[in-house]
Amino acid sequence: MTNTTAESRAVPERHPIVSLFHVTKRYGKRVALTDITLHVENGGFVFVVGPSGAGKSTLLRLIYMEEFPSEGQVTVSGFLSSRMRRNRIPHLRRKVGLIFQNFKLLEDRNIFENVAFPLYVIGVNRNYIRKTVLDLLGRVGLYQKRNNFPHELSGGEQQRVAIARALVNSPYVLLADEPTGNLDPVVAREILKLLFRINIAGTAVIMATHDHELVRQYRQRIVHIEHGEIVQDENAFDRWSPGARELDEAWREEPLKVPPPEE
C-alpha cells in the first residue's frame, strides 16, 4: 500500500485552464496573431506584455471567444473554439471574468447594482445576489460605498468595482486588459495586489499590459508579444526580482479586510 502524505494530498491538480494551439488570427489581409501556442494552468498567473498593437487584446478576445481563430484551436475550461455554438458563449462567459482599462461600469446604476448585474441577467435568487455582492464589495474594500454611483468614485475605486463584477460568477479565469493603464503608480500597485490575492485564492489570471517595468517587480510568468508573435516566455521560477520573495510572502499572509456591515 502506498503511503500518501497530507501535504501531497493537499496539492491541487495542475492542468491547463486556457490553451491556444498554433493560433493565427487575420482581419482581412492584416495578420494580428501568428502561430500562437500558449498554455495557462489552472490557478496560474501570467503577464502578457508588449507594445500597443502587438496583439495582446486580440489574444484576450480569442480566449473569451468574442473573436475566433482563423487557424488553430482555443480551449477554455473544456470549451473548444472549433465547436463553439453561439448559444454556448454565455455559458463560457460565466467561467471567464473580464476587466478592462476603461472600467465599463453602468453610470445609471449604483455600485451594488453594477456588481450584481451579471447575476440579475441569469436570474439568480435575490438573496444569493445580495449575500454574494456584499461579500465581494467587502473584499475589494468598497462595502461602505455600495450605494454610490460610478462618477462618485476615484479611478482606482471604479477599477475595484469592475474587479468585483468580474468575480461575481466565480470564474475559473480572470482576463485583465490593461487594468492599470489609467491609474497612477500607487493605485496601480494596489490593483495588482488585489489581483494577486484573487489568484492566490485559486483563480487563474491573465493580465495584458504594455508596462514592462511594472510587471518585472513581481514574481510571475511573463509572456512577451511583438508583431503578433510570442517572442519570449519567461517562467517565474527562472528569475527573481529584488524583494520579490518578500512581496509575495507578504501578500500571502496579509488578510483581506472586510468592513463590518452597517447597523
Side-chain angles (χ1 to χ4, degrees):
M1 180 176 179
T2 303
N3 292 326
T4 303
T5 66
E7 183 178 355
S8 65
R9 287 196 302 269
V11 176
E13 182 182 358
R14 309 293 277 186
H15 57 84
I17 192 74
V18 172
S19 291
L20 291 88
F21 187 71
H22 293 297
V23 166
T24 293
K25 178 62 181 176
R26 302 186 187 89
Y27 297 97
K29 295 183 178 181
R30 183 175 71 86
V31 181
L33 293 173
T34 303
D35 196 27
I36 297 290
T37 294
L38 176 68
H39 305 289
V40 179
E41 66 181 6
N42 183 32
F45 195 115
V46 179
F47 287 115
V48 179
V49 301
S52 297
K56 304 185 300 297
S57 294
T58 300
L59 179 68
L60 297 188
R61 288 196 294 270
L62 288 169
I63 293 173
Y64 65 86
M65 297 193 191
E66 179 178 313
E67 306 274 1
F68 290 87
S70 304
E71 298 173 14
Q73 177 84 283
V74 178
T75 305
V76 182
S77 185
F79 290 88
L80 278 64
S81 60
S82 61
R83 299 181 182 177
M84 179 60 72
R85 297 179 180 177
R86 186 173 298 276
N87 64 357
R88 293 292 293 165
I89 291 178
H91 296 274
L92 166 69
R93 300 281 173 81
R94 294 172 198 172
K95 299 179 183 294
V96 180
L98 307 174
I99 307 169
F100 303 94
Q101 180 177 353
N102 62 354
F103 317 138
K104 295 192 175 182
L105 301 180
L106 302 171
E107 295 295 332
D108 61 341
R109 301 183 185 228
N110 66 27
I111 301 313
F112 180 96
E113 292 167 333
N114 265 274
V115 176
F117 186 76
L119 297 179
Y120 287 141
V121 169
I122 61 176
V124 173
N125 177 277
R126 287 186 174 272
N127 288 333
Y128 175 84
I129 290 176
R130 178 174 173 77
K131 180 179 182 301
T132 301
V133 173
L134 291 181
D135 176 67
L136 281 171
L137 289 176
R139 289 178 180 274
V140 301
L142 291 174
Y143 181 91
Q144 307 295 351
K145 297 194 175 184
R146 63 193 182 280
N147 295 320
N148 288 72
F149 285 80
H151 70 272
E152 298 175 308
L153 305 185
S154 68
E157 288 172 333
Q158 290 187 57
Q159 191 59 289
R160 282 188 276 153
V161 175
I163 291 172
R165 181 184 58 191
L167 294 174
V168 78
N169 276 321
S170 301
Y172 298 152
V173 59
L174 185 63
L175 306 180
D177 193 0
E178 299 279 4
T180 61
N182 289 332
L183 306 175
D184 65 58
V186 173
V187 176
R189 187 180 185 279
E190 289 302 309
I191 293 300
L192 273 174
K193 185 189 297 185
L194 181 55
L195 293 178
F196 289 141
R197 292 177 185 171
I198 291 164
N199 175 245
I200 289 167
T203 302
V205 177
I206 304 174
M207 174 176 160
T209 179
H210 66 275
D211 193 339
H212 292 69
E213 295 304 316
L214 177 69
V215 303
R216 284 197 173 278
Q217 300 175 42
Y218 307 105
R219 181 198 173 197
Q220 303 296 343
R221 178 182 174 193
I222 303 176
V223 174
H224 299 255
I225 293 184
E226 293 181 10
H227 306 294
E229 299 182 11
I230 293 178
V231 296
Q232 190 176 13
D233 189 343
E234 298 183 60
N235 192 300
F237 300 102
D238 293 339
R239 56 164 175 73
W240 288 88
S241 298
R245 185 188 297 274
E246 290 76 9
L247 287 170
D248 185 56
E249 292 304 321
W251 283 326
R252 288 179 184 274
E253 294 171 2
E254 183 179 351
L256 293 172
K257 297 180 177 62
V258 182
E262 294 178 340
E263 296 297 335

